[in-house]
Every structure is written in structure tokens, then in C-alpha cells.
Amino acid sequence: MPKEPRDPRLAPFWEDVRRTVPDLPKEPPGREHVWAFGATAEQADELLRLVLEGTKTGTSSSLWDYEADQESLPRMGQYDVVLDGSGTARAVLRTTRVDVVPFGLVGEDHAFAEGEGDRTLAFWRDVHRDFFERFASHDRGFREDMPVVCERFRVVYPAVRA
């Protein structure tokens, strides 16, 4: 199986990270594991801020987007490099849990882990319904039973401030 292409700009960041967290793999993650939160630079920066504060420990995406983009689903133990709104590598996350559930069955605990707004399920549903309708890369529309990939993670780098 061919290796995923690697972004050569990531190497210096990964070398710096490995000086702080030496047990990370020697090679940086492939391109599929280098991404920014949200769909805009503003969303990327705001959600990254929540991650770096330790507030955001979860995220969610439409399974249909993964299929449309021909991307593999996140898996437990994988490392991801998170970019800010300008495309600069800022953090390394490690996936700790992945569940695929219908939109209407995403629970309060996951909404709280996402760390957005007042952290309630009602807020999560409003924001994510809007996001899934406006920024979908698939053509199936929004449905209450659409499959949502709910991911939990921990910050590996930089260390979250207490």
C-alpha cells in the first residue's frame, strides 16, 4: 500500500514537536491527518483556541463528507496536526474515541466535549445543523438520521494550560 504524501513544510514543525514529545512517530502524519477545524479561517482560529485552552476535546463531522471526499475515518490512536486559520501547524492531537451515530442521537456529553457556545446539546444541534447544511461536500442534504462521526481527542502538543 503506498504511503500518503507528506507535506514538506510539516517536517520542521514535527521535528520541534518531537523534541518536546520524543515518543511520537519519527515521520509526521500524512496529508489526510493535517487539517484545520471548521470551514473558514475564523472558525479554524476560534476552535483551535478552544482546543489549546483545554475546553474542546471533541469534534464531529458528517460521515457523508468523508465518503464524498474519499477520506478514511479517524481511528483511535492516530495523530493529527491541526492548523490555524492561516495554515500554520499549531497542535498535535491524538484520537481517543470514534463513534458514528445519527445526528439526532448525538448526546449531551459529546456536545459538552466540543466546547462551543454554552456547551449544551441544543446549541450543538443548532450550530452543527447549520454547518452541515452550509458546508457539506456531499449532495445528500441534511437529515436528522444522517451519520455523524463523533471524535474525542487529547492534545499531545502543545501541553494544555491548566
Side-chain angles (χ1 to χ4, degrees):
M1 184 171 191
K3 284 186 159 186
E4 295 174 34
R6 302 202 187 279
D7 185 335
R9 298 171 299 167
L10 188 59
F13 171 78
W14 196 252
E15 288 174 17
D16 287 345
V17 171
R18 288 194 72 240
R19 280 192 269 285
T20 304
V21 188
D23 59 334
L24 289 175
K26 183 176 180 181
E27 294 295 319
R31 290 179 198 237
E32 188 172 273
H33 300 287
V34 179
W35 46 268
F37 286 101
T40 67
E42 293 78 19
Q43 289 173 346
D45 288 340
E46 174 58 20
L47 297 175
L48 176 61
R49 180 185 65 77
L50 293 173
V51 167
L52 296 178
E53 289 175 354
T55 305
K56 182 174 183 60
T57 60
T59 192
S60 53
S61 307
S62 165
L63 175 66
W64 295 338
D65 284 341
Y66 279 99
E67 293 170 351
D69 297 336
Q70 298 181 355
E71 292 181 2
S72 56
L73 293 180
R75 62 188 190 290
M76 285 183 38
Q78 84 180 27
Y79 292 100
D80 291 285
V81 174
V82 180
L83 310 175
D84 64 18
S86 72
T88 301
R90 295 282 310 281
V92 176
L93 308 181
R94 186 159 197 197
T95 302
T96 59
R97 182 176 174 174
V98 179
D99 297 298
V100 179
V101 298
F103 179 88
L105 295 181
V106 172
E108 291 179 18
D109 61 329
H110 187 78
F112 186 83
E114 288 223 22
E116 300 170 42
D118 63 6
R119 301 180 84 172
T120 63
L121 183 57
F123 181 89
W124 183 91
R125 285 185 175 155
D126 287 345
V127 168
H128 284 79
R129 179 184 182 124
D130 178 64
F131 184 88
F132 292 152
E133 288 174 339
R134 291 177 57 206
F135 299 108
S137 55
H138 63 83
D139 60 1
R140 297 181 186 181
F142 172 83
R143 294 188 356 210
E144 284 287 323
D145 65 345
M146 68 184 282
V148 175
V149 180
C150 296
E151 183 178 354
R152 299 288 181 93
F153 55 80
R154 69 179 176 84
V155 178
V156 174
Y157 177 89
V160 175
R161 289 180 243 151

